[in-house]
Amino acid sequence: AQESIVLSHNKELVGQGFRVLCEEEGRDPGILVGRTSQNTVVEFPGDKNLLGNYCNITVTASRRMTLLGELAE
């Protein structure tokens, strides 16, 4: 039940922009993992030089417990 609530909420975030703290490299090469101010996990392509910095991200898709995004221009 909790997962379906989170998924529904995350789907509403698609297309929105967030300031994300880039925390670590993801499992896949070239993917970074960060968190929004609401502690939501966001995965997005980016250079590891961004680690430890804030980035503006546009949410492009949602998974059960994470968001997918891209660097905003």
Side-chain angles (χ1 to χ4, degrees):
Q2 179 68 24
E3 281 188 20
S4 65
I5 293 170
V6 172
L7 180 59
S8 176
H9 173 73
N10 284 352
K11 284 182 178 179
E12 294 174 6
L13 302 178
V14 173
Q16 294 187 31
F18 292 93
R19 187 169 184 239
V20 173
L21 176 60
C22 304
E23 296 182 327
E24 62 187 3
E25 292 183 73
R27 287 184 225 145
D28 297 325
I31 299 297
L32 299 179
V33 178
R35 291 182 184 269
T36 69
S37 60
Q38 292 83 28
N39 208 32
T40 303
V41 175
V42 183
E43 295 181 12
F44 57 96
D47 189 274
K48 63 183 176 183
N49 293 336
L50 295 172
L51 293 174
N53 294 301
Y54 284 96
C55 299
N56 292 317
I57 302 295
T58 301
V59 176
T60 57
S62 64
R63 292 187 184 158
R64 278 188 290 171
M65 301 303 283
T66 61
L67 298 172
L68 304 178
E70 58 188 21
L71 290 168
E73 298 191 16

